[in-house]
Amino acid sequence: MLTEVTATRYVTPLREGGSLPGVVEADDLGIYVMKFTGAGQGRKTLVAEVICGRLAQRLGLRVPRLVQMQLDPVIGLGEPDQEVQELLKASGGLNLGMDYLPGSIGFDPLAYQVDPVEAGRVVWFDALINNVDRSWRNPNMLVWHGDVWLIDHGATMIWHHNWPTAEAAAAKPYNASDHVLAPVGPDIAAAAAALAPLVTEELLTEVAADVPDEWLVDEPGFDSTDALRRAYVEALLPRAATIHERISLEAEVKAPQKPPGWLTDHLTEWPHKTKKKSDGE
């Protein structure tokens, strides 16, 4: 179960992400990055953050500490930004907080080197959770005290947005050609050997249990929150055993398509035939 704290002051929004997370202070004197239930992506983003963040931590990857965070919308009354005020009003109750890492900087692959072993563990983990949001365009990694920390897992496990197709979706391969760590030459085999045996049914059940009930209620097709938690376990467990065999680090090269006939039928082949001049011309 995640520790629960209460937000006491809204400090500032973080506009790098589409969900508009904010820096807040809490009653335990900690500073957190809060992600809101009222954001456009909805509560499933927070479910993914908890399951994937806690799983990463249990596998030895660095992810900021996660907490449940109670929010009273009244703390946003003095916020001059109307967008932020509306977000706080829509997010009263339980939200998600993660430790704010002061002084951390965004990961830049040109400035910070990651060895193939660590890169392999990150890529393998992202393949397990089907993370499509760790590209060179948006690495979603921070460097803090010389170490790489993983953040922002709300766009993972795409299958939980359509549970009837979850089994097929979870069995799909993972294209890592656009991954920010692909150029490093990640050691996927070593990562699979070290991490896959750790992803047990017991571990996944414990990780899923960290998701608050109120973020899981009323999911279509499930009669209880425990049944929904079980669905996450059943999607991730078989994927962990074999996903290393289906990770592609090279971009797929597609043959150029032939242009449609309506665009080319009126064109003549090269070299163009020239009209022969008559003697009178």
Side-chain angles (χ1 to χ4, degrees):
M1 180 68 67
L2 299 179
T3 301
E4 184 173 313
V5 300
T6 299
T8 56
R9 186 169 80 94
Y10 182 87
V11 180
T12 187
L14 296 176
R15 299 189 179 276
E16 293 85 355
S19 60
L20 200 64
V23 177
V24 301
E25 295 175 352
D27 61 351
D28 66 345
L29 305 183
I31 300 178
Y32 298 91
V33 175
M34 179 183 277
K35 295 203 169 184
F36 301 95
T37 54
Q41 292 86 343
R43 66 187 187 185
K44 284 193 176 182
T45 297
L46 306 188
V47 173
E49 290 278 10
V50 172
I51 291 178
C52 297
R54 292 290 291 129
L55 179 57
Q57 292 169 347
R58 297 289 295 271
L59 294 177
L61 299 171
R62 287 178 290 272
V63 173
R65 183 175 68 100
L66 302 176
V67 297
Q68 301 177 82
M69 182 167 280
Q70 289 287 349
L71 171 68
D72 185 342
V74 73
I75 71 171
L77 292 179
E79 171 58 45
D81 189 313
Q82 183 177 356
E83 183 182 9
V84 172
Q85 276 202 18
E86 292 175 353
L87 178 60
L88 295 175
K89 289 178 182 178
S91 303
L94 197 62
N95 295 267
L96 179 67
M98 55 193 66
D99 266 345
Y100 178 70
L101 306 182
S104 61
I105 60 174
F107 176 82
D108 184 343
L110 299 179
Y112 189 87
Q113 299 296 317
V114 178
D115 67 77
V117 173
E118 183 174 11
R121 293 167 70 92
V122 174
V123 173
W124 183 88
F125 172 71
D126 283 338
L128 171 62
I129 62 176
N130 195 34
N131 188 1
V132 297
D133 204 14
R134 189 107 60 205
S135 70
W136 59 268
R137 301 176 190 84
N138 189 26
N140 280 323
M141 297 194 297
L142 299 174
V143 178
W144 193 51
H145 294 295
D147 293 322
V148 171
W149 291 71
L150 310 181
I151 60 171
D152 290 351
H153 299 103
T156 60
M157 301 190 296
I158 191 69
W159 54 78
H160 74 161
H161 294 284
N162 186 10
W163 280 111
T165 63
E167 183 176 357
K172 290 183 178 180
Y174 181 72
N175 184 353
S177 61
D178 204 33
H179 197 285
V180 66
L181 297 180
V184 175
D187 192 340
I188 303 298
L195 299 181
L198 303 179
V199 184
T200 62
E201 183 175 353
E202 180 181 7
L203 173 62
L204 292 173
T205 300
E206 292 174 359
V207 166
D210 285 334
V211 181
D213 280 349
E214 62 189 80
W215 296 347
L216 298 173
V217 295
D218 300 327
E219 179 69 20
F222 297 91
D223 57 8
S224 69
T225 56
D226 286 341
L228 181 53
R229 288 188 176 93
R230 182 64 192 173
Y232 283 101
V233 174
E234 292 176 349
L236 289 168
L237 186 59
R239 188 172 174 87
T242 61
I243 188 57
H244 64 283
E245 302 170 353
R246 294 173 281 130
I247 298 175
S248 173
L249 289 169
E250 297 180 0
E252 181 181 356
V253 179
K254 296 182 179 180
Q257 294 183 344
K258 184 178 179 180
W262 60 264
L263 184 63
T264 59
D265 286 350
H266 66 286
L267 301 177
T268 58
E269 295 182 359
W270 182 266
H272 299 313
K273 295 180 180 179
T274 57
K275 184 179 179 182
K276 186 176 181 181
K277 292 182 179 180
S278 62
D279 295 337
E281 292 181 351

